[in-house]
Amino acid sequence: MRTQVGIIGAGPAGLLLSHLLHLRGISSVVLEKRSRDHVERRVRAGVLEHGTVDTLVQAGVGARLLREGLPHHGIELRYGAESHRIAFDELLPGRSITVYGQQEVVKDLIAARLAAGGDIRFEVTDVALHALEDRPYLTFGGERLDCDVIAGCDGFHGVSRPAVPDGVLTTYERAYPFAWLGILARVPPSAEELIYARTDRGFALHSMRSPEVSRFYLQVPPDTSADDWPDERIWAELKARLETVPGFTLATGEIFDKGVTPMRGFVTEPMQYGRLYLAGDAAHIVPPTGAKGLNLAVADVRVLAEALDAFFATGSADLLDGYSRACLKRVWRAQHFSWWMTTLLHTFDTDDDYGRRLQVSHLDYITASEAAATTLAENYVGLP
Ligand code: FAD
Ligand code: DHB
């Protein structure tokens, strides 16, 4: 079997890359180890930057996103008894974010690929990468796929990055001493906008998926399991962290999804080796506080699709050679913003009063200074 681009992973990065290549007349095969049902149900991100929405709409896969996605023109920062709105619409006229579940993006992309006759293999086993320097090929479940180029879009725990010989990649990493417990609940959102709450008990986030479904996150110890969190405990903790301002009551309902995510920042440099190009979480991950992971994955494959277009059209590898360099500036900006939001809003050490004062002082500054609020808004909505 032969294709131009062998893509490992049917997450947002791999699927969007396959679709963008198809629009340019370039063939690809996507190899995914999980089932279609599994990837379509996997609950993760929800915040799409302005540029991510533009990319999906321009690629012709944004119809349902435009219909069902929830445009947001601000977020709330809550700390102590203070709640302050960062008004994107005033600070950055014309720019906004859209709340639309990652698994909905994944469903839309799978539907578009299959409708166009795209080749996605689900539940493949033992994917392995070979001859990356020259004539790359993939093997899986007893089959062989020859490719001109391989795109490693298989997430942080995939096989692509470890296939690069030792000593080629430099990795940068920061682990955080906490995790996020994320839930979905059948209850209307308790506020119109996202609420990022800093409390002495830890961070909490109020988000949503639809007028009927709310999404919440709680900062939890890193070794916690979802089983340690019965529903009553989750609601009690969310109330303790979010009902801190007069007049705000958290509506509760049936919790139908629960998951714990470790928090880590990670970057590999470069994001390529020979004919292998890494994109999305395979190359970098951010703590989710800045809502950047999915958006970075989309930005990477936008660059990669253009570089591959030039390569197959003209034979020139100039853009491909510059792929990492083109991506890493945005990647590091997102790392910094995600680290900054995480540091600002989470409890690091329960005894650290000095650290707490610094957080509150900086939140006061964002509240008082239009310049500081604009910096936050610009990064959150996404740089062009
Ligand atoms: P993935 O989505 O991880 O996809 C990789 C795919 O590769 C998977 O389908 C996997 O099954 C497959 N795979 C792995 N190994 C193999 C193998 N050996 N063979 C074949 N296939 C393989 N980002 C945001 O932008 N905004 C947010 O609001 C946000 N919130 C988040 C909240 C949570 C709780 C979490 C966990 C993440 C959040 N993120 C957010 C991050 C975002 O979900 C990820 O950055 C995004 O999924 C990256 O997409 P990807 O395609 O690179 O990787
Ligand atoms: C969501 C996830 C995030 O990481 C974030 O910062 C905001 C919202 C969400 O899933 O809705």
Side-chain angles (χ1 to χ4, degrees):
M1 209 185 348
R2 185 175 168 85
T3 191
Q4 286 172 291
V5 183
I7 300 176
I8 312 173
L15 291 167
L16 180 60
L17 179 64
S18 177
H19 178 70
L20 293 176
L21 293 176
H22 162 71
L23 296 178
R24 291 162 169 82
I26 299 166
S27 67
S28 67
V29 175
V30 180
L31 304 179
E32 166 60 51
K33 75 170 178 186
R34 313 303 291 247
S35 67
R36 177 177 179 184
D37 189 57
H38 179 92
V39 299
E40 290 191 343
R41 279 171 194 263
R42 195 164 43 195
V43 178
R44 283 186 169 174
V47 172
L48 307 189
E49 287 178 359
H50 204 95
T52 299
V53 173
D54 284 350
T55 298
L56 295 170
V57 170
Q58 281 161 19
V61 285
R64 197 162 68 91
L65 156 63
L66 291 178
R67 228 173 29 245
E68 297 176 18
L70 307 170
H72 281 240
H73 301 283
I75 55 170
E76 227 178 280
L77 293 180
R78 189 166 287 191
Y79 59 111
E82 308 249 358
S83 212
H84 179 73
R85 180 167 190 257
I86 305 294
F88 307 148
D89 41 358
E90 288 163 24
L91 300 166
L92 306 167
R95 293 183 72 75
S96 57
I97 54 123
T98 299
V99 174
Y100 187 67
Q102 175 170 324
Q103 78 269 36
E104 306 306 322
V105 175
V106 164
K107 279 183 209 161
D108 295 344
L109 286 167
I110 290 175
R113 285 310 294 126
L114 295 183
D119 193 348
I120 310 176
R121 312 282 172 100
F122 292 101
E123 297 180 74
V124 299
T125 53
D126 304 323
V127 174
L129 302 84
H130 309 273
L132 297 176
E133 294 81 4
D134 182 16
R135 298 194 146 272
Y137 65 96
L138 294 166
T139 51
F140 61 98
E143 297 197 58
R144 171 175 169 143
L145 176 64
D146 289 286
C147 328
D148 295 307
V149 164
I150 295 174
C153 302
D154 47 350
F156 185 64
H157 300 287
V159 290
S160 301
R161 198 179 61 251
V164 176
D166 285 349
V168 172
L169 304 178
T170 305
T171 57
Y172 301 86
E173 184 160 12
R174 171 149 312 172
Y176 291 88
F178 40 76
W180 273 19
L181 171 72
I183 64 150
L184 284 172
R186 236 174 287 287
V187 58
S190 298
E192 282 180 13
E193 295 186 331
L194 272 62
I195 305 171
Y196 286 80
R198 185 231 159 268
T199 79
D200 290 346
R201 304 175 70 94
F203 170 74
L205 174 58
H206 164 277
S207 181
M208 61 202 70
R209 285 293 178 270
S210 73
E212 296 84 34
V213 172
S214 298
R215 174 89 167 134
F216 294 99
Y217 296 99
L218 281 172
Q219 176 185 349
V220 292
D223 50 358
T224 216
S225 133
D227 298 336
D228 299 334
W229 290 85
D231 296 3
E232 314 73 60
R233 183 176 179 205
I234 292 174
W235 288 121
E237 200 55 41
L238 283 169
K239 278 175 172 283
R241 298 187 195 181
L242 285 162
E243 288 183 343
T244 57
V245 296
F248 179 85
T249 311
L250 191 71
T252 63
E254 178 214 347
I255 296 176
F256 63 93
D257 190 275
K258 248 183 232 184
V260 175
T261 310
M263 301 273 279
R264 188 189 274 124
F266 174 90
V267 180
T268 181
E269 288 190 15
M271 293 165 52
Q272 62 198 79
Y273 170 71
R275 294 292 184 91
L276 168 68
Y277 299 87
L278 302 172
D281 279 17
H284 42 70
I285 50 176
V286 282
T289 326
K292 288 288 164 245
L294 167 62
N295 295 295
L296 281 180
V298 169
D300 286 352
V301 299
R302 215 163 41 205
V303 175
L304 186 53
E306 261 182 46
L308 288 169
D309 194 15
F311 176 67
F312 287 113
T314 68
S316 161
D318 288 355
L319 286 181
L320 274 180
D321 291 346
Y323 167 69
S324 286
R325 220 173 323 110
C327 292
L328 281 166
K329 259 200 176 151
R330 176 187 291 271
V331 167
W332 277 110
R333 175 90 295 279
Q335 290 288 336
H336 181 273
F337 178 65
S338 305
W339 162 81
W340 178 79
M341 284 281 277
T342 303
T343 307
L344 182 66
L345 295 167
H346 290 72
T347 313
F348 280 78
D349 176 348
T350 43
D351 291 332
D352 185 9
D353 283 333
Y354 182 85
R356 274 200 275 280
R357 290 300 180 102
L358 289 181
Q359 288 177 324
V360 170
S361 163
H362 202 74
L363 285 158
D364 281 340
Y365 172 55
I366 296 165
T367 304
S369 158
E370 188 171 311
T374 305
T375 298
L376 193 166
E378 188 170 56
N379 280 278
Y380 193 84
V381 169
L383 300 169

